[in-house]
Amino acid sequence: MSTAYIVDAARTPRGIGKPGRGALSEIHPQRLLGSVLAALRDRNGLATAEVDDVVIGCSAQIGKQGACIGRMGVLDAGWDTAAPAFTLDRFCGSGITAVNLAAANIMSGMADLCVAGGVEMMSYTGSLQRPGGVATMDNGNLHLRELHPQPHQGICADMIATLDGIGRKEVDELSCESQRRAQIAIEEGRFDKSLIPVHHDDGELALDKDEFPRAGTTMETLGELKTVFDQFMGAPIDESGETFSQLVARAYPDLEIKHVHHAGNSSGVVDGAAGLVLASEDYLAKSGMKPRARIVAMATTAGNPTLMLNEPGPAARKVCEKAGLSLDDIDLFEVNEAFAVVAYKFLRDLEIDPEKVNVNGGAIALGHPIAATGSILIGTALDELERRGDSKALITMCTGGGMAPAVIIERV
């Protein structure tokens, strides 16, 4: 089996994902992705006609994010038209899955040069009305709802916290630490290697730094925030008239949810795009490009779709088993902070040193541009391995439907 190497990683800043408020919100999603792909070409002297495939994650493939945004991003970037592309959706895990599929193509010998990444413009997709007002993963499929009730993910987070005895203090402390670490990382320029500026079509700078972090966040300021997802419980899900309380009761009839999540301990709504260049050893020798890391192992797990967010721990164990490694062999972990309980449970269940996990903050501080986040995290982990002189990083995240992809990379 061939080895898949990471040559480079780049990402846009994460802009606030609200129409008219975020610095990226007026940019077309294809243009945002195209900015990353153009930067990867220019930074690496990439012969784009030689790219075997471009794999792009995008979760909300509707409207401006429809029509195979992967291929449209390639064309928007001014790449050679010979470069093919496709778009995939594994919800939040799309950015990791895109890299894993590109790496698998190289490792199988079917490709030598691939680019993988993701894009999500939450300022755009959040403004769209869902058909029939549907707000669940089943999209109004009542047969599926009977088999596997799937609440809003924020409600899932509160359900997990209740079932696992995790309180408001614990999740707020994790969130406060995420903000503190992100602020240090920004001040010390730890993100600068991968970060590319985004410009408007007229050349004016749109954004060159992450827009979402809230410096100075404290336990006191977090304590003033009201929980959010308790407000959802009595609302009708869709035209069926069923409420979220009734949906939860289908699977957990006796559960009294203790709501602990709010805007300050949940991932930020942002816009963003990211990409990585991957190549085989033969292509590296031919092109003269230098690798920064290699893909060690990849894995994906799936479990309870009603709780939905519990799979990062099992995914980490599975990918370590595939790699023949223990969790102790991993120097750094990136675990997406979709909600604070996800990272807290990961740390607790796997008994991992918190000083090795999300060392530069996470999505609570920096934001979570859904399908782009996984690719961002891989690049962040790689930059930090190089900064510290460490060897291996494991990246994983929960997704809708109760899944989690994972990947281990090793610095070279």
Side-chain angles (χ1 to χ4, degrees), residues 345-400:
K345 182 175 171 62
F346 183 90
L347 284 162
R348 189 193 65 180
D349 291 358
L350 274 60
E351 298 180 333
I352 296 173
D353 180 356
E355 295 303 317
K356 297 170 68 172
V357 181
N358 298 351
V359 297
N360 291 322
I364 289 169
L366 295 157
H368 173 26
I370 312 298
T373 302
S375 298
I376 291 174
L377 295 184
I378 295 171
T380 297
L382 175 54
D383 289 346
E384 188 63 14
L385 285 178
E386 292 176 339
R387 191 184 76 84
R388 293 176 175 231
D390 282 339
S391 177
K392 297 179 181 68
L394 189 157
I395 303 94
T396 188
M397 60 200 307
C398 59
T399 87

Side-chain angles (χ1 to χ4, degrees), residues 154-186:
I155 295 173
C156 295
D158 284 337
M159 292 171 69
I160 292 167
T162 302
L163 291 166
D164 281 54
I166 300 168
R168 171 78 179 253
K169 179 175 181 289
E170 288 89 342
V171 291
D172 278 1
E173 285 177 343
L174 185 144
S175 305
C176 195
E177 180 65 6
S178 180
Q179 293 281 358
R180 188 188 72 83
R181 293 181 180 189
Q183 187 61 32
I184 292 171
I186 291 168

